[in-house]
Amino acid sequence: MAKKRDMPLRWVRLDNAAKIYPAARRRNWSNVFRQSVTLCEDVDVKVLKSALDLTVNRFPSIAARLRRGVFWYYLQQVEQAPEIKEEYSYPLTYMSNKEMRRCAFRVIAYRERIAVEFFHSLTDGTGALIFLKTLTAEYLEQKYGISVPNGNGVLSRKEKPLPSELEDSFQKYAGKVAAGRKASNAWHMSGEPQPDGFLNLTCFRIPVKEIIEHSHLHGVTVTVFVSAVMMQALLNLQKEKNPSADKQKPVKLLIPVNLRGLFPSNSLRNFAMYTIPELDPRLGEYSFDEICKIIYHKMGAEITPKHMSSVIAKNVADERNPLVRLIPLPVKNAVMKAVFDSVGEKKSCLSLSNLGNVELPSEMKPYVRRMDFILGVQAAAPYNCGMLSYDGTLYINFIRNIRDAELERHFFAVLQDLGLSVTVESNGN
């Protein structure tokens, strides 16, 4: 058993984005996502536990439990690292209230894979990736006796956390003018639910060189290109289910944006917003180039410091209201859950989150074969999608809680029509 720490446990208020997640939870859904690294050899669980014991000290806002206060939830640093868990039959199993009160993240070892699953109130994809890289670096140092320098998202396990890593950057960069929130609802997919909460995972693997070449042919980035493929697939799927264009609903994709690229922040907490490009099938057919241009210009107009600071201002306005602060937590929870259910996930078909090209220190690369990013399904919609690139391969992970892989089939068809080489793998039959 790990030695208990002598220092007092840290606690932090939830950041602005994190406050909605505890309120929005329900009996069969918790907002959890996974990041994983696949090594070249089987994981030594004892060494991994030793590495985790040391690593958690560097991340007091991630290695934390969810605690309930009178007016707000908060995070409290765990007293010691959790035990390493075994893999379940599918990723991202439900994280109960009881589990979150003990520790709001899991570390899972399976064959060559180290996976970490995070409750979203702890951090976003960027913070989670830094945690995973640092944990993996410590594991490789202990297992193989190598020395991994700091950099490329690997932090020193011997240094104390910096105050800036624990800041709520939403509060720091909120603008003076608040943006509006009016938006139409999107078309939502449906299907026969999987029994026992099983989650189907399908991974599309594409050579990075090919995806970059095709993106450049259309004059866009990889994120825009894959988003266009997804939106084309959604249009095709809706048309298959409902051929009448007059009765079809807008197709909208939620694309998270890492705000650390717009504002000077090294926070390890949540610091991401989103943009939601939209296609209205009632206006007529869309060519693939047209879809690319719509997404490109939408992202170009919205992913700016001025626009995002106004969106942040809108989100933090209620939190700063003195009257809101005094409302007891159960009342806040009821209101936030109602807002989330009526607005939060009705404005898009699904999320497509791209962590980008993952770089590791050169000392780690011989030991790391693959990396993956998996979002949990939405509360009211059956799909979500996370992706990243590592060592020349783009990994696009679809997750769904319904039986039929309809969206994956259309996504694959669009990729084939565009002439891309694709390898598909799944945890289903």
Side-chain angles (χ1 to χ4, degrees), residues 332-352:
K332 284 194 184 87
N333 276 350
V335 172
M336 287 192 288
K337 186 176 186 300
V339 170
F340 181 84
D341 290 344
S342 63
V343 177
E345 293 187 340
K346 290 189 175 181
K347 304 306 178 186
S348 63
C349 303
L350 74 157
S351 298
L352 176 62

Side-chain angles (χ1 to χ4, degrees), residues 136-399:
T136 305
E138 181 61 32
Y139 170 84
L140 295 176
E141 284 196 350
Q142 292 192 24
K143 177 65 177 176
Y144 299 104
I146 65 173
S147 178
V148 179
N150 302 335
N152 292 117
V154 174
L155 302 184
S156 170
R157 280 72 69 204
K158 298 177 182 178
E159 296 177 0
K160 293 182 179 180
L162 300 174
S164 58
E165 295 170 356
L166 306 179
E167 75 174 16
D168 181 354
S169 291
F170 290 109
Q171 302 293 342
K172 186 175 182 180
Y173 294 109
K176 296 180 179 179
V177 179
R181 282 182 178 162
K182 189 174 181 180
S184 61
N185 290 341
W187 173 63
H188 270 183
M189 293 165 281
S190 60
E192 182 183 355
Q194 282 282 13
D196 303 322
F198 186 86
L199 296 177
N200 294 280
L201 179 64
T202 304
C203 182
F204 293 80
R205 292 189 284 124
I206 306 171
V208 168
K209 185 178 179 181
E210 279 194 37
I211 201 84
I212 290 176
E213 288 175 352
H214 280 74
S215 300
H216 288 173
L217 284 175
H218 295 275
V220 295
T221 64
V222 169
T223 297
V224 172
F225 181 83
V226 178
S227 298
V229 173
M230 183 70 78
M231 295 192 81
Q232 181 71 74
L234 288 164
L235 286 172
N236 295 347
L237 176 56
Q238 183 175 200
K239 185 176 182 180
E240 178 181 87
K241 288 180 171 292
N242 187 359
S244 175
D246 293 338
K247 296 181 180 179
Q248 293 176 16
K249 293 183 178 181
V251 166
K252 305 171 77 171
L253 190 64
L254 189 150
I255 305 173
V257 177
N258 178 13
L259 295 179
R260 297 167 185 83
L262 299 177
F263 303 98
S265 169
N266 64 336
S267 175
L268 295 176
R269 304 173 71 190
N270 287 287
F271 194 44
M273 292 301 297
Y274 53 83
T275 183
I276 307 179
E278 174 180 353
L279 302 173
D280 191 339
R282 296 171 300 178
L283 301 179
E285 298 284 339
Y286 293 86
S287 68
F288 186 76
D289 270 324
E290 193 174 3
I291 297 172
C292 285
K293 289 178 181 178
I294 289 170
I295 299 171
Y296 173 82
H297 290 295
K298 174 75 169 179
M299 294 180 72
E302 293 190 353
I303 304 178
T304 68
K306 288 183 174 63
H307 176 77
M308 286 300 173
S309 68
S310 70
V311 176
I312 294 171
K314 179 66 176 177
N315 290 347
V316 303
D318 291 339
E319 182 185 345
R320 290 177 173 178
N321 187 319
L323 295 178
V324 171
R325 291 183 180 182
L326 295 176
I327 296 174
L329 183 59
V331 178
K332 284 194 184 87
N333 276 350
V335 172
M336 287 192 288
K337 186 176 186 300
V339 170
F340 181 84
D341 290 344
S342 63
V343 177
E345 293 187 340
K346 290 189 175 181
K347 304 306 178 186
S348 63
C349 303
L350 74 157
S351 298
L352 176 62
S353 184
N354 183 15
L355 283 183
N357 184 47
V358 177
E359 292 285 353
L360 296 175
S362 59
E363 290 81 358
M364 295 176 64
K365 290 181 180 179
Y367 301 91
V368 177
R369 182 164 56 87
R370 170 175 175 167
M371 300 190 74
D372 285 275
F373 175 37
I374 306 171
L375 292 177
V377 294
Q378 295 183 329
Y383 273 96
N384 249 347
C385 187
M387 67 182 198
L388 58 75
S389 302
Y390 175 72
D391 195 26
T393 300
L394 175 65
Y395 298 94
I396 307 173
N397 281 294
F398 281 72
I399 196 163

